[in-house]
């Protein structure tokens, strides 16, 4: 009964902190400031629309929230308690910019964004994509190396659209291997969805007829090695080509030029909205948890944009960054739009849709289990149940670094990991469920991580004030409030909460809180 009481009390405190405050009272998630001040074109486009609707932007988020948010959105990790303590004690004006730079240059950035790209690129060994393990790992290495080497997104996309060779040795050719339908129409649909954020079946009939023609010369050839295929342009098809690009401009070139190379040049050129606007919207959705269109990968041919000027600005900024992913991400996370608190200051029904505050969303499944392992010092075992061949990863692998969508666990499936079957963003499910709540609150899986953790036992023996400080910094990336300290001190005096048992209960309550489970 004691644990239940503590859990309910802490959830009540969390709910109160998330609720709207009056202007004289700020929650632990906000910083006092003089209102929303635009610092770049993103802010100017956002505040222009909000002002026209009479909607107030949120206060700036607190240092603790921004520290945690930047870590989660850029690297899919939590800061250590020691780093959080140092960062929160630092009063220098440029500390946030330095933090962002360090995260963008970190190995965790490369690993996390390899995972995010792998979802939309359908990196999966088994059914229905059937890349097979060697190809899935080669494809994953290609994405990782592009991020590690700071390859511009335009060059990354161009390589996937134009490369030829063995799918075991040239990772990027797996873009055209990871198709459920290896037809010109199937290739065109995958290109439209992945790089243009467009649904092929919504395109005008003329474009539906013309776009597959760019991929008619694409061929596949088996080798003597098990499951290996060579992707290439048919050498017998060298005739001049004439066609129409999706923007209705004419495509015409002589014999010998690859139609898919011509398409790649058209697609990845500056000024092509199908490319820059599509990635800008996708990046916004990744960083904010919601796109500027209803579906991030259905943004053309009749889809409504919630803030057209903001999307134009984002596309322009992406091109100004020469399609450099890190530079573009930094532009977004250095904006006051990103640095807003998650607490709305407006009652308008449009406040959420128009990003008048930072949207709260559940952590990605891989990020959540990695965070639980980081806090407890534990590990997970990841494997594929399909013997093609059967795969089990070493127990030092993080969930984010899994190179193959076929490799999973029941936890990852429960918390919405993308199956990578189609490349649709909606395959990853971020909405919370009662089954997730029951698992976090009642499963032996989570309880064992908390109770058997040698890492947590180190802090269980600390005096109450030091224990609370360490637990809150480790789990929530902030110091406990006075009310939270009083709540636990009272609980620790009770029979149920005394000694080691009470410390375990506190950690259990914190990892079950909305504040921990969400990016906010």
């Amino acid at each position: 009964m004691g644990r239940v009481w503590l859990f309910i009390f802490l959830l009540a405190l969390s709910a109160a902190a998330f609720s709207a405050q009056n202007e004289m009272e700020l929650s632990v998630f906000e910083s006092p400031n003089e209102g929303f001040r635009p610092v770049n074109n993103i802010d100017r486009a956002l505040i222009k629309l909000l002002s026209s609707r009479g909607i107030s932007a949120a206060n700036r988020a607190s240092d603790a929230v921004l520290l945690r948010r930047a870590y989660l959105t850029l690297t899919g990790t939590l800061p250590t308690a020691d780093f959080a303590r140092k960062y929160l004690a630092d009063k220098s004006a440029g500390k946030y910019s330095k933090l962002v730079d360090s995260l963008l240059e970190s190995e965790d950035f490369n690993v996390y964004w390899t995972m995010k790209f792998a979802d939309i690129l359908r990196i999966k060994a088994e059914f229905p994509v059937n890349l097979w393990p060697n190809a899935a790992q080669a494809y994953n290495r290609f994405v990782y190396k592009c991020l590690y080497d700071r390859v511009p997104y335009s060059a990354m996309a161009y390589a996937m659209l134009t490369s030829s060779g063995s799918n075991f040795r040239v990772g990027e050719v797996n873009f055209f291997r990871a198709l459920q339908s290896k037809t010109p129409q199937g290739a065109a649909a995958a290109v439209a969805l992945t790089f243009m954020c467009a649904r092929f079946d919504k395109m005008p009939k003329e474009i539906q007829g013309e776009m597959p023609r760019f991929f008619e010369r694409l061929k596949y050839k088996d080798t003597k090695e098990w499951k290996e295929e060579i992707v290439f342009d048919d050498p017998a098809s060298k005739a001049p080509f004439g066609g129409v690009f999706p923007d209705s401009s004419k495509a015409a070139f002589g014999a010998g030029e690859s139609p898919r190379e011509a398409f790649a040049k058209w697609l990845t050129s500056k000024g092509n909205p199908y490319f820059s606007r599509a990635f800008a919207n996708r990046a916004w959705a990744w960083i904010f948890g919601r796109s500027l269109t209803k579906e991030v990968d259905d943004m053309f041919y009749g889809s409504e944009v919630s803030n057209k000027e903001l999307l134009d600005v984002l596309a322009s900024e992406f091109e100004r960054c020469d399609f450099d992913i890190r530079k573009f991400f930094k532009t977004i996370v250095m904006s006051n739009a990103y640095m807003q608190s998650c607490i709305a200051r407006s009652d308008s029904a449009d406040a959420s849709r128009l990003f008048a505050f930072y949207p709260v969303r559940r952590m990605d499944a891989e990020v959540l289990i990695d965070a639980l392992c980081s806090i407890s010092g534990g590990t997970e075992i990841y494997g594929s149940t399909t013997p093609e061949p059967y795969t089990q990863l070493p127990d030092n692998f993080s969930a984010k670094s899994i190179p193959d969508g076929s490799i999973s666990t029941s936890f990852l499936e429960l918390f919405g990991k993308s199956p990578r079957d189609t490349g649709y963003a909606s395959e990853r499910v971020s909405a919370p469920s009662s089954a997730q709540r029951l698992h976090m609150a009642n499963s032996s899986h989570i309880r064992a991580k908390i109770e058997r953790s040698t890492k947590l036992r180190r802090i269980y023996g600390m005096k109450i004030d030091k224990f609370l400080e360490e637990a809150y910094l480790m789990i929530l990336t902030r110091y406990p409030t006075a009310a939270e300290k009083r709540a636990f001190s009272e609980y620790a005096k009770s029979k149920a909460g005394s000694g080691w048992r009470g410390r375990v209960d506190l950690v259990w309550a914190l990892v079950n809180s909305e504040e921990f489970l969400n990016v906010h």
Side-chain angles (χ1 to χ4, degrees), residues 125-437:
E126 305 300 341
F127 180 83
V129 176
N130 294 335
L131 281 179
W132 313 120
N134 285 355
Q137 292 172 26
Y139 199 5
N140 197 79
R141 283 195 300 272
F142 162 75
V143 177
Y144 172 84
K145 193 171 188 306
C146 284
L147 291 166
Y148 182 86
D149 292 340
R150 300 192 68 139
V151 173
Y153 180 63
S154 54
M156 181 178 170
Y158 187 88
M160 285 186 273
L161 291 172
T162 62
S163 294
S164 298
S166 162
N167 65 319
F168 284 4
R169 293 163 178 78
V170 184
E172 54 268 40
V173 304
N174 284 289
F175 177 81
F176 287 114
R177 273 284 292 106
L179 303 177
Q180 293 188 33
S181 172
K182 292 182 190 175
T183 63
Q185 290 75 19
V191 171
L193 180 70
T194 306
F195 300 116
M196 300 164 61
C197 287
R199 305 291 173 91
F200 184 73
D201 58 356
K202 287 189 175 183
M203 289 179 165
K205 293 299 181 183
E206 178 189 4
I207 301 303
Q208 288 186 37
E210 288 287 342
M211 189 171 165
R213 295 185 57 227
F214 290 91
F215 307 102
E216 286 179 343
R217 300 180 188 181
L218 186 65
K219 302 297 178 183
Y220 305 87
K221 179 182 178 181
D222 293 333
T223 73
K224 292 182 180 180
E225 187 168 349
W226 183 77
K227 302 297 185 182
E228 181 183 31
E229 277 190 311
I230 305 297
V231 179
F232 63 101
D233 284 324
D234 185 356
S237 300
K238 296 290 186 181
F241 181 91
V244 179
F245 290 118
D247 64 355
S248 298
S249 61
K250 301 295 182 181
F253 41 85
E257 187 171 352
S258 167
R260 60 184 174 116
E261 285 189 20
F263 186 91
K265 289 176 184 176
W266 167 83
L267 179 64
T268 59
S269 61
K270 286 187 177 181
N272 188 337
Y274 287 106
F275 189 71
S276 55
R277 285 166 66 90
F279 185 79
N281 191 37
R282 198 183 284 281
W284 185 268
W286 277 333
I287 292 173
F288 279 81
R290 192 170 65 249
S291 69
L292 295 166
T293 53
K294 184 177 180 180
E295 297 288 344
V296 66
D297 42 26
D298 182 14
M299 59 179 296
F300 296 101
Y301 309 111
S303 295
E304 180 185 353
V305 179
S306 63
N307 190 334
K308 184 179 181 300
E309 185 172 341
L310 175 57
L311 182 56
D312 289 342
V313 166
L314 289 169
S316 176
E317 289 292 328
F318 187 39
E319 292 187 1
R320 186 183 62 80
C321 292
D322 293 322
F323 302 117
D324 185 304
I325 294 170
R326 283 179 173 82
K327 287 181 180 178
F328 184 51
F329 283 4
K330 182 175 181 180
T331 301
I332 294 175
V333 300
M334 290 302 297
S335 69
N336 271 325
Y338 175 81
M339 290 189 276
Q340 290 181 99
S341 161
C342 59
I343 299 173
R345 292 179 60 223
S346 173
D347 294 330
S348 171
D350 287 332
S352 175
R353 185 175 65 89
L354 299 180
F355 298 93
F357 56 90
Y358 188 83
V360 176
R361 67 185 185 279
R362 180 60 48 89
M363 286 189 207
D364 291 335
E366 297 92 333
V367 173
L368 178 55
I369 193 60
D370 283 350
L372 290 168
C373 288
S374 175
I375 290 166
S376 66
T379 59
E380 294 281 299
I381 297 176
Y382 302 106
S384 169
T385 58
T386 306
E388 289 278 359
Y390 177 82
T391 303
Q392 182 169 309
L393 299 177
D395 63 6
N396 62 345
F397 259 73
S398 68
K400 292 186 295 292
S401 63
I402 296 173
D404 171 6
S406 303
I407 299 173
S408 190
T409 63
S410 58
F411 181 95
L412 294 178
E413 300 297 324
L414 175 61
F415 282 82
K417 171 185 176 291
S418 173
R420 299 181 183 174
D421 291 341
T422 65
Y424 286 109
S426 58
E427 285 193 294
R428 179 172 290 279
V429 180
S430 299
S433 69
S434 56
Q436 293 171 2
R437 173 59 69 192

